[in-house]
Amino acid sequence: MSELRKAKMNRIDQAFIDKKKDLLNVYFTAGYPNLNDTLEIAKGIEKGGADLIEIGIPFSDPVADGPTIQESSTKALASGMTLKLLFEQLKDLRKDVTLPVLLMGYINPVMQYGFEAFCQKCQEVGVDGLILPDLPMYEYEEMYKAVLEKYGLYNVFLITPQTSEERIRKIDELSKGFIYMVSSASTTGAKSGISEEQIEYFERVKAMNLKNKLLIGFGISNHETFSKACSYADGAIIGSAFIKLVTVDASSSNIQQYIQSVKNP
Amino acid sequence: MSDVQSKYLVDQRGYFGKFGGAYIPEMLYPNVEELKSQYLEIMNSHAFRTDFVKLLKDYVGRPTPLYHASRLSEVVGAKVYLKREDLCHTGAHKVNNTIGQILMAQALGKKRIIAETGAGQHGVATATVCALMGLECTVYMGEIDMARQKPNVERMKILGAEVRPATSGSKTLKDATNEAMRHWINNPKDTHYIIGSVVGPHPYPDMVARFQSVISEEIKWQLEEKEGKEDPDYVFACVGGGSNAAGAFYHYVDKENVKLVAIEASGLGNDSGKSAATTALGKEGVLHGSRSLLMQTEDGQVVEPYSISAGLDYPGIGPFHAHLFDSGRAMFVGATDEEAMNAGVELSKLEGIIPAVESAHALAALHKVDFKPTDIVVVNLSGRGDKDLETYIKWGKY
Ligand SMILES: Cc1ncc(COP(=O)(O)O)c(C=O)c1O
């Protein structure tokens, strides 16, 4: 019975049960630095000891992203990356990867693929959750929530230092898995380090006792920033710093070494 | 500005039919929400209205004339009036919006202004009002456009604005818009983003349309004076993002006897792969915060459009226009580079008015409709051709 329940549980929930704190989520852009690196990089992240994997769907106009992730998207698209190809690359995901996998992407490519077809495919290849930063809450509730639920997918929302308490409560109601706590008013990769002002914000949100887990993202790049973020949340997300790393060397050994250095230097 | 209620205009949720909304990342939510919660109240306040009307009159030079182009009328076979937005200060309708938005920024207590620009017309109109109000101005412009539109880059600098090249993606208007949005994400508190057309997340498409609606407000009484009736048979306007067309159509949307004709840039032809005709080539999609029609690949990547006119070189149209198209309320027509340039030269020779290449697209469409001799046709002449001299010279056929 407990085995059965375990098998049915979303891997994101399972990750937070297996490991109570300091979870590391690593973001990378699909099809970067080389078109067919996607699955190998995911495997490297798992081997390195991360706890969640977030795969970015490249888009031509990623407004929430800073230069590092923008460039990785532009390069991936120039190499011929498409959403169709991504699902092809992830066909055997679950042969090798046991960690929860989230797809992060802008809504337009998903709409063109067909939202339901997209969700169905996510379930088929073993994706556990979605981060669609430009999907508004209202539209999510009206049109998309039921579809996600039908395919067992979790939708992760973002909050920022400017998000009001009332809105955070609403987001907490709608979220599943975890809430993505954007560390500062910025695009991805814009700032590094953690300021007093940010700590105030982290503490304020922590004190709200939300029902969802919290992962802090944006500006996390090494052990110092990771462990600092973890003292205010359940874990943290690394994106731009990881993209910079694979730009130089995308080998599994380099990825593993980096992830280990972030977790325990 | 106006309080028109219509099934063609924005609804409570920020949609025009099924188009519009605010598809923005959470990082932009507070900025957009602040504007959304206050823009109507501010626009309807006595203080705002007084300042807006005064500046449009004394600074922009409104009302712009409604001119009966009799020699052109003869050629076209209908009674053609030109709404002379080309006579606005800075040379195009764009300034109607930037005057409105700079007053909005002041009412919201903002200290800095950002904007995007393609050809540089909106950038110049923004730099102008920032100089007028003494606010700091940063304009994003695609690196490629900066090279193509050097005089406008210098105009903005003379006016005291900083012009920042957008070097991401395709380095043109859509990327300049992305950069402006990113700047806004990184500077959420003291900055207002003056978007240049009826695009972007709600409330921008509605707000910009309201500022531009002064165009049709004037056409109504001017036509009443000249023809004894407010309604023409046709209103023609070119559509890039759609702001001049939104302004020219606004007060006529519910008057089904007035035919609305929107002209898109077909570039070298819609089958050539070099076009900007969104309704002909686009599909429903989301760009720059709203759901609308969008030129894109099968994979949902935004396509770089082409037109000889930089102001029409945008891969989408505003949600208002997507709704006018979808509902059949407006007729959408394409005009190629060649048709537009010929029409621009034709107007120059017949009426002594060199139009902006954007506006020339609207004029080109006059040759594509079978008019009755008694038809009254208003063409929104959105801008003057000074900025396009080099394009006319390169074209050479005059
Ligand atoms: C003279 C003129 N007309 C038209 C346009 C197109 O913009 P919209 O479709 O928003 O009116 C521009 C844009 O730069 C312009 O300069």
Side-chain angles (χ1 to χ4, degrees), chain B residues 92-94 121 197 238-244 311-312 356 358 382-383 387:
Chain B
H93 70 288
K94 296 279 178 191
Q121 285 308 103
S197 191
C238 67
V239 173
S243 66
N244 88 86
L312 303 182
E358 290 81 9
S382 57
K387 69 178 176 64

Side-chain angles (χ1 to χ4, degrees), chain B residues 91-94 117-122 173 196-199 208 212 238-246 309-313 321 356-359 380-384 387-388:
Chain B
H93 70 288
K94 296 279 178 191
T117 197
Q121 285 308 103
H122 173 61
L173 176 58
S197 191
V198 285
V199 300
V208 177
Q212 292 292 359
C238 67
V239 173
S243 66
N244 88 86
S309 122
L312 303 182
D313 206 354
H321 296 288
V357 174
E358 290 81 9
S359 323
N380 196 37
L381 202 70
S382 57
R384 68 177 88 125
K387 69 178 176 64
D388 297 316

Side-chain angles (χ1 to χ4, degrees), chain B residues 20-193:
Chain B
Y23 290 75
I24 46 171
E26 186 64 25
M27 291 81 95
L28 271 180
Y29 181 83
N31 312 26
V32 171
E33 185 62 24
E34 181 186 25
L35 184 62
K36 185 181 123 191
S37 63
Q38 298 186 55
Y39 82 110
L40 286 178
E41 195 183 322
I42 291 172
M43 283 178 78
N44 290 326
S45 71
H46 179 70
F48 185 97
R49 280 176 185 255
T50 309
D51 290 346
F52 185 59
V53 168
K54 191 161 177 251
L55 281 170
L56 287 185
K57 177 169 180 284
D58 299 337
Y59 188 73
V60 173
R62 305 204 71 91
T64 59
L66 184 69
Y67 164 69
H68 173 214
S70 56
R71 297 188 69 208
L72 178 66
S73 297
E74 240 171 75
V75 173
V76 169
K79 193 163 188 184
V80 178
Y81 283 93
L82 303 178
K83 179 60 176 163
R84 300 290 309 272
E85 293 301 297
D86 59 317
L87 295 177
C88 288
H89 177 45
T90 70
H93 70 288
K94 296 279 178 191
V95 72
N96 302 327
N97 170 43
T98 60
I99 290 278
Q101 286 208 49
I102 200 83
L103 293 173
M104 181 63 61
Q106 286 184 319
L108 292 168
K110 303 292 175 180
K111 300 281 176 271
R112 290 169 226 277
I113 298 297
I114 52 168
E116 85 297 337
T117 197
Q121 285 308 103
H122 173 61
V124 167
T126 304
T128 298
V129 297
C130 287
L132 177 68
M133 300 300 180
L135 293 183
E136 197 181 305
C137 181
T138 305
V139 179
Y140 286 91
M141 187 167 186
E143 204 171 42
I144 291 177
D145 290 336
M146 283 180 74
R148 288 197 289 202
Q149 310 285 335
K150 192 112 187 47
N152 270 345
V153 174
E154 299 310 317
R155 279 170 89 192
M156 287 185 268
K157 288 185 184 165
I158 292 169
L159 291 161
E162 183 195 346
V163 184
R164 286 196 197 160
T167 56
S168 60
S170 53
K171 305 178 175 57
T172 59
L173 176 58
K174 78 176 175 67
D175 309 284
T177 309
N178 294 339
E179 288 305 331
M181 287 185 155
R182 289 179 187 125
H183 181 119
W184 210 21
I185 287 174
N186 287 290
N187 300 273
K189 286 182 186 142
D190 63 349
T191 302
H192 176 71
Y193 176 21

Side-chain angles (χ1 to χ4, degrees), chain A residues 134-221:
Chain A
D134 58 348
L135 177 62
M137 242 198 304
Y138 170 82
E139 283 72 8
Y140 171 73
E141 275 192 282
E142 290 287 303
M143 296 182 273
Y144 298 98
K145 186 165 175 274
V147 183
L148 262 103
E149 282 169 359
K150 180 171 165 196
Y151 295 99
L153 296 169
Y154 281 9
N155 194 56
V156 169
F157 287 92
L158 275 55
I159 62 171
T160 79
Q162 273 76 40
T163 310
S164 69
E165 177 164 346
E166 187 192 351
R167 192 167 163 85
I168 293 176
R169 294 269 175 225
K170 178 93 205 276
I171 285 170
D172 192 36
E173 274 308 302
L174 282 181
S175 294
K176 275 186 157 178
F178 63 92
I179 288 175
Y180 192 136
M181 192 167 167
V182 176
S183 63
S184 62
S186 72
T187 45
T188 51
K191 287 169 192 139
S192 61
I194 292 172
S195 68
E196 284 302 308
E197 199 184 341
Q198 284 169 287
I199 289 173
E200 218 172 276
Y201 151 63
F202 297 158
E203 283 178 335
R204 172 166 57 84
V205 176
K206 194 177 175 188
M208 287 177 71
N209 284 318
L210 301 176
K211 74 176 172 67
N212 282 279
K213 304 290 181 186
L214 285 169
L215 296 185
I216 294 177
F218 287 34
I220 312 297
S221 60

Side-chain angles (χ1 to χ4, degrees), chain A residues 12 25-27 52-57 101-107 110 118 122 127-135 148 153-158 176 178-182 215 218 237:
Chain A
I12 298 171
N25 179 359
V26 177
Y27 167 93
L52 301 105
I53 301 172
E54 189 182 324
I55 303 177
I57 304 165
V101 170
L102 295 105
L103 294 189
M104 181 272 167
Y106 294 84
I107 192 71
V110 174
F118 171 80
C122 281
V127 166
D128 307 286
L130 303 177
I131 305 175
L132 302 167
D134 58 348
L135 177 62
L148 262 103
L153 296 169
Y154 281 9
N155 194 56
V156 169
F157 287 92
L158 275 55
K176 275 186 157 178
F178 63 92
I179 288 175
Y180 192 136
M181 192 167 167
V182 176
L215 296 185
F218 287 34
I237 304 167

